[in-house]
Amino acid sequence: MTEKLVIVESPSKAKTINSYLGKDYQVLSSVGHIRDLATSGPGGLGLDVNNNFKPDYQISKGKTKVVNELKKAAKNREVLIATDPDREGEAIAWHIADVLNLDINQKNRIVFTEITKPAILEAIDKPREIDMD
């Protein structure tokens, strides 16, 4: 079994990045967003209005299999989240970290702006925390 798990958004990126990283890594894809606010509850808002508007997130329709695969792959491994370097990618990274019970204060987020071997290797060497802002 490989030592580290890298999670990206796109399956095609996963294939390319996996070829750059070698046997010590497994690269999997979240295939975009994995969860969203629930549509249940008062007014279908996905927020608990009686509990300080606490959000109620649910696994998105059709994503249960992907989430289960990510959970299984993440067991007893270091996980690096490499979703897109934008606000949406940061949100997806947080959702992944939350579902996988990762510590968001750990440096488990990597970012890059091009899919080249040097850019990927540099990102691997410079992990950071998920940007909660």
Short mmCIF file of all heavy atoms in Angstrom, two decimals, residues 56-109:
data_model
loop_
_atom_site.label_atom_id
_atom_site.label_comp_id
_atom_site.label_asym_id
_atom_site.label_seq_id
_atom_site.Cartn_x
_atom_site.Cartn_y
_atom_site.Cartn_z
N ASP A 56 -26.18 22.16 8.26
CA ASP A 56 -26.37 20.71 8.21
C ASP A 56 -25.93 20.24 6.83
O ASP A 56 -26.67 20.38 5.85
CB ASP A 56 -27.84 20.36 8.45
CG ASP A 56 -28.12 18.87 8.34
OD1 ASP A 56 -27.16 18.06 8.46
OD2 ASP A 56 -29.29 18.50 8.14
N TYR A 57 -24.71 19.72 6.75
CA TYR A 57 -24.17 19.26 5.48
C TYR A 57 -24.50 17.79 5.27
O TYR A 57 -24.46 16.99 6.21
CB TYR A 57 -22.66 19.44 5.42
CG TYR A 57 -22.24 20.89 5.37
CD1 TYR A 57 -21.71 21.51 6.49
CD2 TYR A 57 -22.40 21.64 4.21
CE1 TYR A 57 -21.33 22.85 6.46
CE2 TYR A 57 -22.03 22.97 4.17
CZ TYR A 57 -21.49 23.57 5.30
OH TYR A 57 -21.13 24.88 5.25
N GLN A 58 -24.80 17.43 4.03
CA GLN A 58 -25.06 16.05 3.67
C GLN A 58 -24.24 15.70 2.44
O GLN A 58 -23.96 16.56 1.60
CB GLN A 58 -26.54 15.82 3.35
CG GLN A 58 -27.43 15.94 4.55
CD GLN A 58 -28.87 15.58 4.23
OE1 GLN A 58 -29.30 15.63 3.08
NE2 GLN A 58 -29.64 15.25 5.24
N ILE A 59 -23.87 14.43 2.35
CA ILE A 59 -23.16 13.95 1.17
C ILE A 59 -24.07 14.20 -0.05
O ILE A 59 -25.25 13.88 -0.02
CB ILE A 59 -22.81 12.45 1.29
CG1 ILE A 59 -21.97 12.19 2.54
CG2 ILE A 59 -22.12 11.95 0.03
CD1 ILE A 59 -20.64 12.91 2.60
N SER A 60 -23.51 14.78 -1.08
CA SER A 60 -24.28 15.09 -2.29
C SER A 60 -24.78 13.82 -2.96
O SER A 60 -24.12 12.76 -2.90
CB SER A 60 -23.42 15.88 -3.29
OG SER A 60 -23.00 17.09 -2.72
N LYS A 61 -25.90 13.94 -3.62
CA LYS A 61 -26.48 12.81 -4.34
C LYS A 61 -25.46 12.25 -5.34
O LYS A 61 -24.83 13.00 -6.09
CB LYS A 61 -27.74 13.26 -5.08
CG LYS A 61 -28.51 12.13 -5.71
CD LYS A 61 -29.79 12.62 -6.34
CE LYS A 61 -30.52 11.43 -6.95
NZ LYS A 61 -31.84 11.80 -7.44
N GLY A 62 -25.28 10.95 -5.31
CA GLY A 62 -24.35 10.30 -6.22
C GLY A 62 -22.90 10.30 -5.76
O GLY A 62 -22.03 9.80 -6.47
N LYS A 63 -22.61 10.87 -4.59
CA LYS A 63 -21.22 10.96 -4.12
C LYS A 63 -20.88 9.99 -2.98
O LYS A 63 -19.74 9.95 -2.53
CB LYS A 63 -20.90 12.39 -3.67
CG LYS A 63 -20.85 13.38 -4.81
CD LYS A 63 -19.74 13.03 -5.80
CE LYS A 63 -19.66 14.00 -6.95
NZ LYS A 63 -18.65 15.00 -6.79
N THR A 64 -21.84 9.20 -2.53
CA THR A 64 -21.59 8.29 -1.42
C THR A 64 -20.46 7.32 -1.74
O THR A 64 -19.58 7.09 -0.90
CB THR A 64 -22.88 7.52 -1.05
OG1 THR A 64 -23.89 8.48 -0.72
CG2 THR A 64 -22.66 6.60 0.12
N LYS A 65 -20.45 6.77 -2.94
CA LYS A 65 -19.40 5.81 -3.32
C LYS A 65 -18.03 6.49 -3.31
O LYS A 65 -17.06 5.93 -2.78
CB LYS A 65 -19.70 5.23 -4.71
CG LYS A 65 -18.70 4.20 -5.15
CD LYS A 65 -19.05 3.63 -6.53
CE LYS A 65 -17.98 2.65 -6.98
NZ LYS A 65 -18.20 2.20 -8.35
N VAL A 66 -17.93 7.69 -3.86
CA VAL A 66 -16.66 8.42 -3.89
C VAL A 66 -16.18 8.70 -2.47
O VAL A 66 -15.01 8.49 -2.14
CB VAL A 66 -16.81 9.75 -4.68
CG1 VAL A 66 -15.59 10.64 -4.50
CG2 VAL A 66 -17.05 9.47 -6.15
N VAL A 67 -17.09 9.17 -1.61
CA VAL A 67 -16.72 9.49 -0.23
C VAL A 67 -16.25 8.23 0.50
O VAL A 67 -15.25 8.26 1.21
CB VAL A 67 -17.90 10.17 0.52
CG1 VAL A 67 -17.63 10.25 2.01
CG2 VAL A 67 -18.15 11.55 -0.06
N ASN A 68 -16.95 7.12 0.31
CA ASN A 68 -16.53 5.87 0.95
C ASN A 68 -15.16 5.41 0.46
O ASN A 68 -14.35 4.92 1.25
CB ASN A 68 -17.58 4.78 0.74
CG ASN A 68 -18.83 5.02 1.56
OD1 ASN A 68 -18.81 5.74 2.56
ND2 ASN A 68 -19.94 4.44 1.14
N GLU A 69 -14.89 5.58 -0.84
CA GLU A 69 -13.57 5.23 -1.38
C GLU A 69 -12.48 6.12 -0.78
O GLU A 69 -11.39 5.63 -0.44
CB GLU A 69 -13.57 5.35 -2.90
CG GLU A 69 -14.35 4.27 -3.61
CD GLU A 69 -14.52 4.50 -5.10
OE1 GLU A 69 -14.09 5.56 -5.62
OE2 GLU A 69 -15.11 3.62 -5.76
N LEU A 70 -12.77 7.41 -0.63
CA LEU A 70 -11.79 8.33 -0.04
C LEU A 70 -11.54 7.96 1.43
O LEU A 70 -10.39 7.96 1.88
CB LEU A 70 -12.25 9.78 -0.16
CG LEU A 70 -12.34 10.35 -1.58
CD1 LEU A 70 -12.92 11.76 -1.55
CD2 LEU A 70 -10.99 10.34 -2.26
N LYS A 71 -12.60 7.66 2.16
CA LYS A 71 -12.44 7.27 3.57
C LYS A 71 -11.59 6.01 3.70
O LYS A 71 -10.69 5.94 4.55
CB LYS A 71 -13.82 7.03 4.21
CG LYS A 71 -14.58 8.28 4.54
CD LYS A 71 -15.91 7.91 5.18
CE LYS A 71 -16.70 9.13 5.56
NZ LYS A 71 -17.99 8.77 6.20
N LYS A 72 -11.87 5.04 2.87
CA LYS A 72 -11.11 3.79 2.92
C LYS A 72 -9.64 4.03 2.58
O LYS A 72 -8.75 3.53 3.26
CB LYS A 72 -11.72 2.77 1.94
CG LYS A 72 -11.08 1.42 1.96
CD LYS A 72 -11.76 0.46 0.99
CE LYS A 72 -11.04 -0.86 0.95
NZ LYS A 72 -11.63 -1.78 -0.03
N ALA A 73 -9.39 4.80 1.54
CA ALA A 73 -8.02 5.08 1.11
C ALA A 73 -7.25 5.92 2.14
O ALA A 73 -6.03 5.81 2.24
CB ALA A 73 -8.03 5.78 -0.24
N ALA A 74 -7.96 6.75 2.90
CA ALA A 74 -7.32 7.66 3.85
C ALA A 74 -6.91 7.00 5.16
O ALA A 74 -6.11 7.56 5.90
CB ALA A 74 -8.24 8.84 4.13
N LYS A 75 -7.44 5.82 5.43
CA LYS A 75 -7.15 5.15 6.70
C LYS A 75 -5.65 4.94 6.87
O LYS A 75 -4.97 4.40 6.00
CB LYS A 75 -7.86 3.80 6.77
CG LYS A 75 -9.30 3.93 7.18
CD LYS A 75 -9.91 2.57 7.46
CE LYS A 75 -11.36 2.81 7.82
NZ LYS A 75 -12.11 1.61 7.96
N ASN A 76 -5.15 5.39 8.02
CA ASN A 76 -3.75 5.21 8.41
C ASN A 76 -2.75 5.78 7.41
O ASN A 76 -1.67 5.21 7.21
CB ASN A 76 -3.45 3.72 8.66
CG ASN A 76 -4.35 3.14 9.72
OD1 ASN A 76 -4.55 3.75 10.78
ND2 ASN A 76 -4.94 1.99 9.43
N ARG A 77 -3.12 6.88 6.77
CA ARG A 77 -2.23 7.51 5.80
C ARG A 77 -2.19 9.01 6.01
O ARG A 77 -3.15 9.61 6.50
CB ARG A 77 -2.75 7.30 4.38
CG ARG A 77 -2.62 5.91 3.87
CD ARG A 77 -3.35 5.89 2.58
NE ARG A 77 -2.62 5.18 1.57
CZ ARG A 77 -3.14 4.86 0.41
NH1 ARG A 77 -4.36 5.23 0.10
NH2 ARG A 77 -2.45 4.21 -0.47
N GLU A 78 -1.12 9.59 5.54
CA GLU A 78 -1.08 11.04 5.46
C GLU A 78 -1.90 11.44 4.24
O GLU A 78 -1.75 10.86 3.16
CB GLU A 78 0.36 11.54 5.30
CG GLU A 78 0.45 13.04 5.20
CD GLU A 78 1.87 13.56 5.02
OE1 GLU A 78 2.83 12.79 5.23
OE2 GLU A 78 2.00 14.73 4.67
N VAL A 79 -2.77 12.43 4.41
CA VAL A 79 -3.63 12.88 3.33
C VAL A 79 -3.26 14.32 2.97
O VAL A 79 -3.15 15.17 3.85
CB VAL A 79 -5.12 12.81 3.73
CG1 VAL A 79 -6.01 13.35 2.62
CG2 VAL A 79 -5.51 11.39 4.09
N LEU A 80 -3.07 14.55 1.69
CA LEU A 80 -2.83 15.90 1.16
C LEU A 80 -3.98 16.24 0.23
O LEU A 80 -4.29 15.47 -0.68
CB LEU A 80 -1.49 15.95 0.41
CG LEU A 80 -0.25 15.68 1.26
CD1 LEU A 80 0.97 15.52 0.37
CD2 LEU A 80 -0.05 16.78 2.28
N ILE A 81 -4.59 17.37 0.47
CA ILE A 81 -5.75 17.78 -0.33
C ILE A 81 -5.29 18.81 -1.35
O ILE A 81 -4.78 19.86 -0.99
CB ILE A 81 -6.86 18.34 0.57
CG1 ILE A 81 -7.24 17.30 1.64
CG2 ILE A 81 -8.07 18.73 -0.28
CD1 ILE A 81 -8.15 17.83 2.71
N ALA A 82 -5.48 18.48 -2.61
CA ALA A 82 -4.98 19.31 -3.71
C ALA A 82 -6.12 19.78 -4.62
O ALA A 82 -6.03 19.69 -5.84
CB ALA A 82 -3.94 18.53 -4.51
N THR A 83 -7.18 20.28 -4.00
CA THR A 83 -8.27 20.83 -4.80
C THR A 83 -7.82 22.14 -5.43
O THR A 83 -6.76 22.66 -5.10
CB THR A 83 -9.52 21.03 -3.93
OG1 THR A 83 -9.16 21.74 -2.74
CG2 THR A 83 -10.14 19.69 -3.54
N ASP A 84 -8.62 22.67 -6.32
CA ASP A 84 -8.24 23.87 -7.07
C ASP A 84 -7.87 25.04 -6.15
O ASP A 84 -8.42 25.16 -5.05
CB ASP A 84 -9.36 24.28 -8.01
CG ASP A 84 -9.59 23.27 -9.13
OD1 ASP A 84 -8.75 22.36 -9.30
OD2 ASP A 84 -10.60 23.38 -9.83
N PRO A 85 -6.97 25.91 -6.60
CA PRO A 85 -6.49 27.01 -5.76
C PRO A 85 -7.39 28.25 -5.82
O PRO A 85 -6.95 29.36 -6.10
CB PRO A 85 -5.11 27.31 -6.35
CG PRO A 85 -5.27 27.01 -7.80
CD PRO A 85 -6.21 25.82 -7.84
N ASP A 86 -8.68 28.05 -5.56
CA ASP A 86 -9.62 29.16 -5.54
C ASP A 86 -10.55 28.97 -4.35
O ASP A 86 -10.43 28.00 -3.59
CB ASP A 86 -10.39 29.26 -6.85
CG ASP A 86 -11.12 27.98 -7.24
OD1 ASP A 86 -11.35 27.11 -6.37
OD2 ASP A 86 -11.50 27.84 -8.41
N ARG A 87 -11.46 29.90 -4.18
CA ARG A 87 -12.37 29.86 -3.03
C ARG A 87 -13.18 28.56 -3.00
O ARG A 87 -13.36 27.95 -1.96
CB ARG A 87 -13.28 31.08 -3.11
CG ARG A 87 -14.20 31.23 -1.95
CD ARG A 87 -14.97 32.53 -2.09
NE ARG A 87 -15.96 32.61 -1.05
CZ ARG A 87 -16.89 33.53 -1.00
NH1 ARG A 87 -16.96 34.43 -1.94
NH2 ARG A 87 -17.75 33.55 -0.02
N GLU A 88 -13.68 28.17 -4.15
CA GLU A 88 -14.46 26.93 -4.23
C GLU A 88 -13.61 25.71 -3.89
O GLU A 88 -14.03 24.82 -3.17
CB GLU A 88 -15.05 26.80 -5.63
CG GLU A 88 -15.98 25.63 -5.79
CD GLU A 88 -16.60 25.57 -7.18
OE1 GLU A 88 -16.14 26.27 -8.09
OE2 GLU A 88 -17.55 24.80 -7.34
N GLY A 89 -12.37 25.69 -4.41
CA GLY A 89 -11.46 24.59 -4.10
C GLY A 89 -11.13 24.51 -2.63
O GLY A 89 -10.99 23.43 -2.06
N GLU A 90 -11.02 25.67 -2.00
CA GLU A 90 -10.74 25.73 -0.56
C GLU A 90 -11.92 25.16 0.22
O GLU A 90 -11.76 24.42 1.18
CB GLU A 90 -10.46 27.17 -0.15
CG GLU A 90 -9.45 27.33 0.94
CD GLU A 90 -8.05 26.89 0.58
OE1 GLU A 90 -7.57 27.16 -0.54
OE2 GLU A 90 -7.40 26.28 1.45
N ALA A 91 -13.14 25.48 -0.24
CA ALA A 91 -14.35 24.94 0.40
C ALA A 91 -14.42 23.42 0.23
O ALA A 91 -14.72 22.70 1.18
CB ALA A 91 -15.60 25.60 -0.18
N ILE A 92 -14.13 22.95 -0.95
CA ILE A 92 -14.13 21.50 -1.20
C ILE A 92 -13.07 20.83 -0.31
O ILE A 92 -13.31 19.78 0.27
CB ILE A 92 -13.89 21.19 -2.69
CG1 ILE A 92 -15.09 21.67 -3.53
CG2 ILE A 92 -13.67 19.68 -2.91
CD1 ILE A 92 -14.86 21.64 -5.03
N ALA A 93 -11.91 21.47 -0.17
CA ALA A 93 -10.85 20.93 0.69
C ALA A 93 -11.35 20.80 2.13
O ALA A 93 -11.13 19.79 2.79
CB ALA A 93 -9.61 21.82 0.63
N TRP A 94 -12.05 21.84 2.60
CA TRP A 94 -12.58 21.79 3.97
C TRP A 94 -13.60 20.66 4.11
O TRP A 94 -13.59 19.92 5.09
CB TRP A 94 -13.21 23.13 4.36
CG TRP A 94 -13.83 23.03 5.72
CD1 TRP A 94 -13.20 23.03 6.92
CD2 TRP A 94 -15.23 22.82 6.00
NE1 TRP A 94 -14.11 22.87 7.94
CE2 TRP A 94 -15.37 22.74 7.39
CE3 TRP A 94 -16.36 22.72 5.20
CZ2 TRP A 94 -16.60 22.55 8.02
CZ3 TRP A 94 -17.59 22.54 5.82
CH2 TRP A 94 -17.69 22.45 7.22
N HIS A 95 -14.49 20.51 3.13
CA HIS A 95 -15.49 19.43 3.18
C HIS A 95 -14.80 18.06 3.21
O HIS A 95 -15.21 17.18 3.97
CB HIS A 95 -16.46 19.51 2.00
CG HIS A 95 -17.50 20.56 2.18
ND1 HIS A 95 -18.60 20.43 2.98
CD2 HIS A 95 -17.60 21.81 1.63
CE1 HIS A 95 -19.34 21.53 2.94
NE2 HIS A 95 -18.74 22.38 2.12
N ILE A 96 -13.78 17.90 2.39
CA ILE A 96 -13.04 16.63 2.37
C ILE A 96 -12.39 16.38 3.73
O ILE A 96 -12.49 15.30 4.30
CB ILE A 96 -11.99 16.61 1.24
CG1 ILE A 96 -12.69 16.57 -0.13
CG2 ILE A 96 -11.02 15.44 1.40
CD1 ILE A 96 -11.77 16.82 -1.31
N ALA A 97 -11.71 17.40 4.25
CA ALA A 97 -11.04 17.27 5.55
C ALA A 97 -12.05 16.92 6.64
O ALA A 97 -11.79 16.05 7.49
CB ALA A 97 -10.29 18.55 5.90
N ASP A 98 -13.20 17.56 6.61
CA ASP A 98 -14.21 17.32 7.63
C ASP A 98 -14.76 15.89 7.55
O ASP A 98 -14.86 15.20 8.55
CB ASP A 98 -15.34 18.34 7.47
CG ASP A 98 -16.25 18.40 8.68
OD1 ASP A 98 -15.75 18.52 9.83
OD2 ASP A 98 -17.49 18.33 8.49
N VAL A 99 -15.06 15.44 6.34
CA VAL A 99 -15.60 14.09 6.14
C VAL A 99 -14.57 13.02 6.53
O VAL A 99 -14.92 11.98 7.06
CB VAL A 99 -16.07 13.91 4.68
CG1 VAL A 99 -16.29 12.45 4.33
CG2 VAL A 99 -17.35 14.68 4.44
N LEU A 100 -13.29 13.32 6.29
CA LEU A 100 -12.23 12.35 6.61
C LEU A 100 -11.69 12.52 8.03
O LEU A 100 -10.73 11.85 8.41
CB LEU A 100 -11.08 12.48 5.61
CG LEU A 100 -11.41 12.20 4.14
CD1 LEU A 100 -10.17 12.35 3.28
CD2 LEU A 100 -12.03 10.82 3.97
N ASN A 101 -12.31 13.43 8.79
CA ASN A 101 -11.88 13.70 10.16
C ASN A 101 -10.41 14.12 10.26
O ASN A 101 -9.69 13.72 11.16
CB ASN A 101 -12.14 12.50 11.08
CG ASN A 101 -13.61 12.21 11.21
OD1 ASN A 101 -14.41 13.09 11.44
ND2 ASN A 101 -13.97 10.94 11.03
N LEU A 102 -9.98 14.94 9.31
CA LEU A 102 -8.62 15.46 9.33
C LEU A 102 -8.58 16.74 10.17
O LEU A 102 -9.56 17.47 10.23
CB LEU A 102 -8.14 15.77 7.91
CG LEU A 102 -8.16 14.64 6.90
CD1 LEU A 102 -7.72 15.13 5.53
CD2 LEU A 102 -7.28 13.49 7.37
N ASP A 103 -7.46 16.99 10.77
CA ASP A 103 -7.26 18.20 11.56
C ASP A 103 -7.02 19.36 10.60
O ASP A 103 -6.00 19.39 9.90
CB ASP A 103 -6.07 18.00 12.50
CG ASP A 103 -5.83 19.19 13.41
OD1 ASP A 103 -6.42 20.27 13.21
OD2 ASP A 103 -5.01 19.04 14.34
N ILE A 104 -7.93 20.34 10.57
CA ILE A 104 -7.76 21.46 9.63
C ILE A 104 -6.64 22.40 10.05
O ILE A 104 -6.28 23.30 9.30
CB ILE A 104 -9.08 22.24 9.40
CG1 ILE A 104 -9.56 22.88 10.70
CG2 ILE A 104 -10.13 21.37 8.77
CD1 ILE A 104 -10.63 23.92 10.48
N ASN A 105 -6.09 22.21 11.23
CA ASN A 105 -4.95 23.02 11.66
C ASN A 105 -3.62 22.40 11.24
O ASN A 105 -2.56 22.98 11.48
CB ASN A 105 -4.99 23.23 13.17
CG ASN A 105 -6.22 24.03 13.58
OD1 ASN A 105 -6.49 25.08 13.01
ND2 ASN A 105 -6.97 23.52 14.53
N GLN A 106 -3.68 21.23 10.64
CA GLN A 106 -2.47 20.58 10.12
C GLN A 106 -2.20 21.08 8.71
O GLN A 106 -3.11 21.50 8.01
CB GLN A 106 -2.66 19.05 10.08
CG GLN A 106 -2.78 18.41 11.44
CD GLN A 106 -1.49 18.50 12.22
OE1 GLN A 106 -0.42 18.18 11.72
NE2 GLN A 106 -1.58 18.93 13.47
N LYS A 107 -0.96 20.98 8.32
CA LYS A 107 -0.60 21.38 6.95
C LYS A 107 -0.87 20.21 6.01
O LYS A 107 0.02 19.42 5.71
CB LYS A 107 0.86 21.83 6.91
CG LYS A 107 1.08 23.11 7.68
CD LYS A 107 2.49 23.60 7.57
CE LYS A 107 2.62 24.93 8.30
NZ LYS A 107 3.95 25.50 8.16
N ASN A 108 -2.12 20.10 5.58
CA ASN A 108 -2.54 19.00 4.72
C ASN A 108 -3.15 19.50 3.41
O ASN A 108 -3.80 18.75 2.70
CB ASN A 108 -3.51 18.08 5.46
CG ASN A 108 -4.71 18.81 6.02
OD1 ASN A 108 -5.00 19.93 5.63
ND2 ASN A 108 -5.39 18.18 6.96
N ARG A 109 -2.89 20.76 3.08
CA ARG A 109 -3.43 21.38 1.86
C ARG A 109 -2.27 21.76 0.96
O ARG A 109 -1.32 22.40 1.40
CB ARG A 109 -4.24 22.62 2.27
CG ARG A 109 -4.75 23.44 1.11
CD ARG A 109 -6.06 22.90 0.59
NE ARG A 109 -6.71 23.86 -0.29
CZ ARG A 109 -6.68 23.78 -1.61
NH1 ARG A 109 -6.07 22.79 -2.21
NH2 ARG A 109 -7.29 24.69 -2.34
#
